[in-house]
């Protein structure tokens, strides 16, 4: 699998606008101080916030799901094999997928794009060399992945498929969109597959969980998403007569966390027997997993969830030949934590 690295200024912009619109919205519970905004010039920052709020207000007035709009717009950018420019057409696609009616969707898209383009010009004036800066920032991550990642991915695929992964399990080429950091590390992937994004942080957020492992995690999830979506009927033991869960419904995103750490420790890439699962969860590795989200919302701690995952891995995950069968066992353990483990 070859990675094509992209300094994604467009996706960086979209994430910044989304963040500003959410934090500075009047209904937001906490308002970020203006000095923490990503633009250095205070006047430009104020205008950036204003335009970001205009986007949010336009989406609300159009009865569009804001979160879904940003997700779809980001998806469109991540699925491209380059730093695609933001256009009214992309905005309209995202609006329609987020629930906007076809009636006057072009007008709403034009209005949203005007504000986004105003923010783009402000960012370009504030950081004219953003693309070059992103290339410099992702260079250490790229180097670390190239040194360790391909071998670890092969080991992960062999564990999931008992030594015989399908030839199309790992895609031949993946686009990696490096974006400006807004958090202490974050990553995601396109639902169209073949692309992931990751914040170009210069140093590991935690020495126990190298950032290149975050990239490995996303690449693994991308392969799982693609395969379960397109070949679910061919997955061994893909559906259980007992619980009716299909392969795509199993807790893959949680189950692969101890798998990755186990394989990395076995290869000497991290300290042997190191299972920093709680740290990975705190760093947002399973942020898109509905089971993990539900547990954490109900006050289960990352340490409690980590203990369940580590116990499952030691008892079942490591030794069960058919990984979906092991994940069914994990699903049952997580259900027990949901019922009895929250405080």
């Amino acid at each position: 699998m070859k990675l094509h690295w992209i300094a994604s200024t467009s996706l960086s912009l979209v994430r910044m606008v989304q963040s500003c619109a959410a934090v500075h919205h009047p209904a937001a519970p906490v308002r970020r101080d203006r000095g923490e905004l990503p633009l250095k010039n205070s006047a430009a920052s104020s205008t950036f916030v204003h335009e970001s709020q205009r986007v949010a207000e336009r989406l609300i007035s159009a009865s569009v799901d804001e979160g879904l709009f940003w997700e779809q717009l980001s998806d469109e950018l991540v699925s491209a094999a380059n730093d695609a420019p933001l256009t009214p057409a992309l905005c309209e696609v995202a609006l329609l997928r987020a629930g906007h009616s076809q009636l006057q969707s072009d007008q709403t898209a034009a209005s949203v794009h005007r504000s986004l383009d105003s923010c783009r010009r402000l960012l370009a004036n504030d950081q004219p060399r953003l693309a070059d800066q992103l290339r410099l920032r992702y260079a250490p991550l790229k180097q670390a992945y190239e040194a360790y990642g391909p071998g670890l991915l092969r080991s992960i695929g062999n564990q999931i498929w008992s030594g015989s992964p399908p030839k199309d399990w790992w895609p031949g080429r993946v686009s990696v969109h490096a974006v400006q950091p807004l958090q202490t590390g974050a990553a995601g992937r396109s639902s169209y597959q073949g692309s992931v994004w990751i914040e170009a942080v210069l140093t590991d957020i935690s020495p126990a969980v190298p950032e290149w492992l975050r990239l490995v995690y996303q690449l693994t999830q991308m392969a799982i998403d693609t395969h379960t979506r397109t070949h679910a009927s061919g997955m061994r033991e893909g559906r259980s007569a007992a619980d009716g869960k299909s392969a795509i419904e199993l807790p893959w995103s949680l189950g692969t966390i101890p798998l990755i750490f186990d394989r990395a420790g076995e290869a000497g890439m991290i300290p042997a027997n190191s299972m920093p699962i709680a740290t990975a969860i705190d760093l947002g590795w399973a942020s898109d997993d509905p089971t993990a989200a539900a547990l954490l919302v109900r006050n289960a701690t990352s340490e409690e969830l980590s203990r369940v995952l580590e116990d499952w891995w030691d008892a079942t995950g490591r030794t069960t030949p058919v990984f979906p069968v092991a994940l069914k066992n994990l699903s049952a353990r997580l259900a027990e934590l949901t019922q009895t483990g929250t405080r």
Side-chain angles (χ1 to χ4, degrees), residues 9-229:
T9 60
S10 291
L11 185 58
S12 295
L13 170 67
V14 166
R15 297 183 73 243
M16 290 166 64
V17 173
Q18 180 184 6
S19 177
C20 287
V23 174
H24 290 272
H25 192 278
V30 178
R31 297 175 64 85
R32 179 187 291 174
D33 181 77
R34 295 290 175 96
E36 296 179 3
L37 289 172
L39 304 190
K40 295 183 286 289
N41 180 277
S42 59
S45 290
S46 296
T47 305
F48 195 99
V49 171
H50 174 70
E51 293 294 342
S52 299
Q53 288 180 317
R54 289 189 64 181
V55 175
E57 291 163 1
R58 194 70 180 88
L59 296 175
I60 293 172
S61 66
S63 299
V64 169
D65 184 321
E66 292 178 75
L68 188 55
F69 168 78
W70 293 117
E71 177 184 333
Q72 294 298 325
L73 184 57
S74 298
D75 226 31
E76 289 294 314
L77 294 172
V78 176
S79 63
N82 52 40
D83 186 16
L86 280 168
T87 63
L90 281 183
C91 293
E92 185 170 12
V93 169
L95 284 168
L96 292 172
R97 289 178 175 168
H100 197 295
S101 67
Q102 292 188 345
L103 184 65
Q104 297 184 326
S105 61
D106 57 338
Q107 295 180 28
T108 303
S111 174
V112 168
H113 180 263
R114 280 194 297 272
S115 290
L116 288 173
D117 200 52
S118 294
C119 290
R120 179 192 62 78
R121 291 194 298 271
L122 290 165
L123 179 60
N125 288 333
D126 191 78
Q127 301 182 43
R129 297 178 59 83
L130 177 58
D132 292 335
Q133 292 168 4
L134 288 172
R135 293 185 188 97
L136 291 173
R137 293 183 69 92
Y138 74 59
L141 176 63
K142 178 182 178 183
Q143 184 178 13
Y145 170 81
E146 290 175 346
Y148 308 112
L152 181 56
L153 287 176
R154 285 193 294 272
S155 179
I156 292 168
N158 287 335
Q159 178 73 31
I160 292 174
W161 289 96
S162 301
S164 300
K167 291 182 178 180
D168 62 350
W169 174 250
W170 300 112
R173 179 183 171 91
V174 174
S175 295
V176 179
H177 295 252
V179 299
Q180 174 130 327
L182 295 179
Q183 306 171 36
T184 53
R189 55 196 179 275
S190 166
S191 64
Y192 298 111
Q193 311 313 318
S195 300
V196 301
W197 64 266
I198 189 167
E199 288 192 345
V201 295
L202 285 173
T203 58
D204 293 332
I205 309 305
S206 167
V209 185
E211 284 300 299
W212 68 270
L213 278 181
R214 188 196 297 270
L215 178 58
V216 165
Y217 176 78
Q218 288 298 329
L219 293 171
T220 302
Q221 298 311 308
M222 184 195 63
I224 291 167
D225 290 346
T226 301
H227 199 84
T228 53
R229 190 168 296 161

